[in-house]
Amino acid sequence: MYKKIRLLFSLCLLWSLAIAVQAAPLRMATTTSTQNSGLLDILLPAFQKQTGIEVHVIAVGTGKALKMGRDGDVDVVMVHAVAAEEKFVAEGFGTDRVQFMYNDFVIVGPNNDPAGIKGVKSVTEAMTKIQGSQSKFISRGDDSGTHKKEKALWKAANIQPDGSWYIEAGQGMGKVLQMASELDGYTLTDRGTWLAYKGKVDMSLLNEGDNQLSNPYGVIAVNPAKHPDTNYADAKKLIDWVSSQAGQELIRDYRLHGEPLFIPLLLK
């Protein structure tokens, strides 16, 4: 009898552990801009309804998201910095990378536009005008995809930003927009977060449209060859789902203020 009880207890324990493992959420590191846009509030419940997989979101900058992937702290990353993504995969930390949507960056700033960048077609010229006028510029300063893009734009303008006019916040996109609004400063933001916040801040969209401002997003599974404990199976399901017709249609149809926040890249 005692042996039967022990066997029954062991079987129940194993069954409970199997359920716990199966129910463990998929860990995804993504950017604050993706989170702030509200898109994940549409995408992830639909994914869970179809697959039963819950996704636990950790919103950080792209640099930190990729580091979490390198360290095996998450199962999948959703980021927007092409060169950093390609390096992550080339070094063997990521696999099954898919670019699945894009939007663009824009420069927003004070309504009175003291640097005079409104209508300027070249983003390089706009950055030069901001620096030349010593107008306040609020930088993410957090190694995010937006911060990486900003640094590339300063480099293209042959400017090393420093001085009291240049403020590194070390914050996510939503908080930086709020800071820029309070300080009457300019900032670089992805269009999605701008649309989500423009009714909450006293600012205007002042520069857009340059090809340098393109902003593609990628989703990458953490390589199980590097981290065998990663939940690769569910990460691959998420990648396949956001790339599917259903996922791409949700991305296409998500709008704020009547405008699309992201454009799907794989919609048939």
Side-chain angles (χ1 to χ4, degrees):
M1 175 65 72
Y2 177 67
K3 288 183 178 180
K4 288 183 179 180
I5 292 174
R6 281 182 58 190
L7 178 60
L8 181 61
F9 176 78
S10 297
L11 290 173
C12 288
L13 180 61
L14 288 173
W15 180 74
S16 298
L17 288 172
I19 290 177
V21 170
Q22 185 177 9
L26 179 69
R27 303 165 301 166
M28 181 175 76
T30 189
T31 69
T32 59
S33 57
T34 314
Q35 177 81 325
N36 289 340
S37 72
L39 176 67
L40 297 182
D41 295 332
I42 303 298
L43 278 183
L44 298 185
F47 171 69
Q48 183 174 358
K49 182 177 181 180
Q50 182 168 323
T51 64
I53 299 168
E54 179 186 357
V55 182
H56 175 61
V57 175
I58 305 164
V60 291
T62 287
K64 290 181 182 178
L66 292 174
K67 184 179 187 306
M68 293 181 76
R70 285 188 177 89
D71 294 342
D73 294 331
V74 292
D75 307 302
V76 63
V77 296
M78 185 182 289
V79 291
H80 61 133
V82 173
E85 294 170 39
E86 291 176 343
K87 182 180 180 184
F88 180 75
V89 173
E91 291 175 345
F93 292 103
T95 185
D96 298 278
R97 173 177 175 262
V98 174
Q99 281 191 336
F100 67 104
M101 67 180 186
Y102 74 95
N103 62 8
D104 61 346
F105 291 104
V106 297
I107 299 178
V108 299
N111 297 321
N112 64 344
D113 187 21
I117 67 169
K118 186 174 178 60
V120 172
K121 292 184 178 180
S122 165
V123 67
T124 300
E125 183 182 350
M127 302 292 275
T128 301
K129 281 178 169 288
I130 292 171
Q131 188 270 343
S133 66
Q134 296 289 283
S135 300
K136 283 188 175 63
F137 186 95
I138 316 303
S139 169
R140 285 279 296 267
D142 62 351
D143 197 35
S144 61
T146 305
H147 186 213
K148 291 176 187 293
K149 173 61 72 172
E150 179 216 318
K151 290 191 291 184
L153 294 174
W154 289 122
K155 184 176 181 180
N158 293 314
I159 294 171
Q160 178 62 49
D162 56 22
S164 60
W165 63 277
Y166 185 75
I167 301 168
E168 292 189 284
Q171 297 289 335
M173 196 68 254
K175 290 183 179 180
V176 168
L177 283 169
Q178 292 172 335
M179 286 181 62
S181 178
E182 292 167 3
L183 296 172
D184 286 329
Y186 294 86
T187 194
L188 180 76
T189 176
D190 67 287
R191 188 179 294 271
T193 308
W194 165 247
L195 289 172
Y197 272 77
K198 75 173 187 176
K200 306 173 185 178
V201 294
D202 187 22
M203 305 175 76
S204 297
L205 192 161
L206 298 170
N207 187 264
E208 61 181 327
D210 192 308
N211 288 338
Q212 294 183 77
L213 295 173
S214 177
N215 184 31
Y217 283 76
V219 59
I220 314 168
V222 173
N223 193 345
K226 286 280 189 180
H227 297 287
D229 293 336
T230 193
N231 186 355
Y232 170 75
D234 287 350
K236 186 65 168 62
K237 288 178 183 177
L238 177 64
I239 292 171
D240 290 344
W241 190 83
V242 299
S243 305
S244 71
Q245 189 76 6
Q248 292 281 287
E249 287 177 356
L250 282 176
I251 293 168
R252 178 198 64 194
D253 295 339
Y254 181 57
R255 293 172 177 261
L256 287 175
H257 308 290
E259 297 183 53
L261 278 73
F262 301 93
I263 309 299
L265 280 169
L266 305 172
L267 190 61
K268 296 178 181 178

